[in-house]
């Protein structure tokens, strides 16, 4: 009898037996907004590196992190939320996406023909509620379109002046389409 054949891929899960790192984009909620939740981005990068994340980069001051990790998405989220709560003294919700998911979000943007700075993408942990559109109040002509784990919003008068009411229970954080495109580009390398 010869040596047993070794499969390099775990056929049950379709993954390499040695886990490879994925590019993750973490979006923090309520960081450096209106003078509250102050966290310098260099401190956020150091915190991520201390958690074992690699190739850590931040983008603008509102809590966007691109990094590599061998952990699955739920573990990345849990590690970051726990470390941020210890650092900040309060819960900081974190939404995590892979590079592929962020690309899908961009390609699914129903407002791609609108000015990107006026298109917001609200990121959620789960699918938007089925009755979301029944509860939206859009006095400024805002348009809302549910996605898979995101909600696309067009703000014709700008997000800062909008009086949009969209009651949501799960934590969400919003980034404009320009920021999402930049994060997707950063996560390519």
């Amino acid at each position: 009898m010869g040596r047993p054949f070794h499969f390099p891929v775990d056929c049950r899960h379709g993954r390499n037996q040695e886990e490879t790192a994925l590019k993750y984009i973490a979006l923090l909620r309520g960081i450096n907004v209106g003078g509250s939740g102050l966290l310098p981005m260099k401190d956020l990068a150091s915190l991520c590196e201390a958690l074992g994340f690699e190739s850590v980069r931040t983008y603008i001051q509102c809590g966007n992190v691109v990094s590599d990790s061998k952990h699955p998405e739920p573990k990345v989220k849990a590690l970051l939320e726990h470390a941020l709560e210890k650092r900040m003294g309060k819960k900081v919700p974190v939404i995590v996406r892979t590079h592929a998911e962020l690309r899908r979000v961009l390609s699914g943007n129903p407002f791609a023909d609108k000015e990107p700075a006026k298109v917001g993408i609200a990121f959620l942990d789960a699918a938007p509620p089925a009755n979301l559109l029944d509860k939206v109040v859009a006095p400024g002509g805002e348009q809302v379109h549910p996605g898979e784990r995101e909600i696309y919003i067009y703000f014709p008068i700008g997000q800062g002046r909008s009086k949009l009411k969209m009651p949501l229970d799960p934590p969400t954080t919003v980034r404009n389409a320009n920021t999402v495109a930049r994060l997707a580009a950063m996560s390519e390398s």
Side-chain angles (χ1 to χ4, degrees):
M1 297 227 180
R3 294 185 326 188
F5 184 77
H6 172 71
F7 288 98
V9 174
D10 181 339
C11 296
R12 293 169 301 177
H13 303 290
R15 292 185 276 175
N16 287 336
Q17 287 177 340
E18 288 184 33
E19 292 292 322
T20 57
L22 287 175
K23 290 275 184 205
Y24 287 107
I25 299 88
L27 309 167
L28 284 59
R29 182 171 187 245
I31 294 293
N32 300 340
V33 178
S36 68
L38 298 177
L39 178 64
M41 292 300 96
K42 65 180 174 61
D43 292 355
L44 176 57
S46 295
L47 183 141
C48 290
E49 289 166 352
L51 293 172
F53 300 161
E54 299 172 354
S55 302
V56 176
R57 292 176 285 159
T58 61
Y59 178 65
I60 61 178
Q61 292 297 312
C62 63
N64 303 299
V65 183
V66 175
S67 65
D68 296 349
S69 177
K70 293 180 181 179
H71 297 298
E73 180 183 310
K75 178 81 172 182
V76 170
K77 175 183 174 58
L79 286 169
L80 271 171
E81 286 184 338
H82 178 71
L84 285 163
E85 187 169 5
K86 283 178 66 176
R87 166 70 164 76
M88 304 296 291
K90 65 177 185 174
K91 183 168 175 58
V92 176
V94 177
I95 304 292
V96 178
R97 295 291 189 272
T98 63
H99 168 75
E101 288 173 315
L102 213 57
R103 280 288 173 207
R104 180 198 47 79
V105 167
L106 283 171
S107 68
N109 179 2
F111 305 118
D113 61 332
K114 308 290 188 197
E115 184 181 340
K118 291 185 175 183
V119 175
I121 302 170
F123 290 89
L124 299 94
D125 281 327
N131 63 349
L132 171 71
L133 296 177
D134 297 337
K135 297 180 178 186
V136 170
V137 177
E142 297 87 353
Q143 297 173 35
V144 176
H145 183 85
E148 288 183 37
R149 290 194 302 159
E150 61 279 332
I151 301 167
Y152 301 92
I153 308 157
Y154 172 56
F155 297 98
I157 61 172
Q159 185 174 348
R161 296 177 48 207
S162 173
K163 304 290 184 214
L164 175 71
K165 291 188 181 16
M166 187 172 55
L168 292 170
D169 283 334
T172 183
T173 189
V174 179
R175 302 295 188 272
N176 73 37
N178 284 329
T179 297
V180 176
R182 179 67 182 131
L183 291 167
M186 285 175 65
S187 67
E188 287 200 18
S189 56

